[in-house]
Amino acid sequence: MSSQQKQSASRAAGAPTAPEPTGPRPARLSAAAALTAVEGLALAALGGYMLIMGLAGSPDSPQQAEMGGLTVLALAVLPLVAARGLWLRRRWSRGPSLITQIVALPVAWTLVNGGGALIAAGIGLAVAALVVLVLLVNPTATEALGIGPRETP
């Protein structure tokens, strides 16, 4: 059994976990949580709109519109759960939020290349994603989430 497997086994056996962070929530972490929640709410609104238009509108393919709406609604869950975790200062929430922001960047690029009103939406999405990325890698936020430098054995 490797040392890493032994460490995992000892954690699972009831070894003490990292203590919950105490003190006030840093403004940077609050801002990251709020922006991540706004992104999740925007996705949920888009998914709801697509679903309603698939049911009540006259799309070329109602099944495709409905499935697209359900898919976008399902995708909205990740940033919303991550935002709640960031707000509650849960260590695990940083990863899903970072993934959401990284995935948002190519979407923003596609929107900017779409032209028209999509350019503004793409720029807004890109700015929000970059701001959240910067906020989440900031040492203040990582310390508030209980994430510190790895200790060498």
Side-chain angles (χ1 to χ4, degrees):
M1 183 181 274
S2 72
S3 64
Q4 196 172 26
Q5 290 172 331
K6 289 178 185 176
Q7 288 175 353
S8 295
S10 69
R11 284 188 206 128
T17 59
E20 288 291 319
T22 57
R25 181 184 320 102
R28 290 181 173 123
L29 191 58
S30 298
L35 282 171
T36 303
V38 167
E39 290 171 338
L41 291 173
L43 273 174
L46 176 63
Y49 174 78
M50 290 173 66
L51 189 60
I52 291 169
M53 294 287 49
L55 294 171
S58 57
D60 293 336
S61 173
Q63 288 177 326
Q64 189 175 11
E66 293 161 14
M67 187 54 70
L70 289 173
T71 302
V72 173
L73 281 172
L75 289 173
V77 172
L78 180 65
L80 291 172
V81 169
R84 185 174 189 278
L86 288 172
W87 189 260
L88 297 174
R89 296 173 61 180
R90 300 293 188 252
R91 182 180 194 159
W92 58 263
S93 62
R94 183 173 176 242
S97 185
L98 287 171
I99 290 168
T100 299
Q101 308 318 315
I102 291 169
V103 169
L105 292 173
V107 172
W109 179 258
T110 303
L111 290 173
V112 168
N113 288 329
L118 296 177
I119 293 173
I123 291 171
L125 179 59
V127 167
L130 289 172
V131 167
V132 173
L133 283 170
V134 168
L135 291 172
L136 288 178
V137 298
N138 185 286
T140 305
T142 57
E143 289 172 14
L145 292 170
I147 302 169
R150 293 184 185 245
E151 297 177 14
T152 56

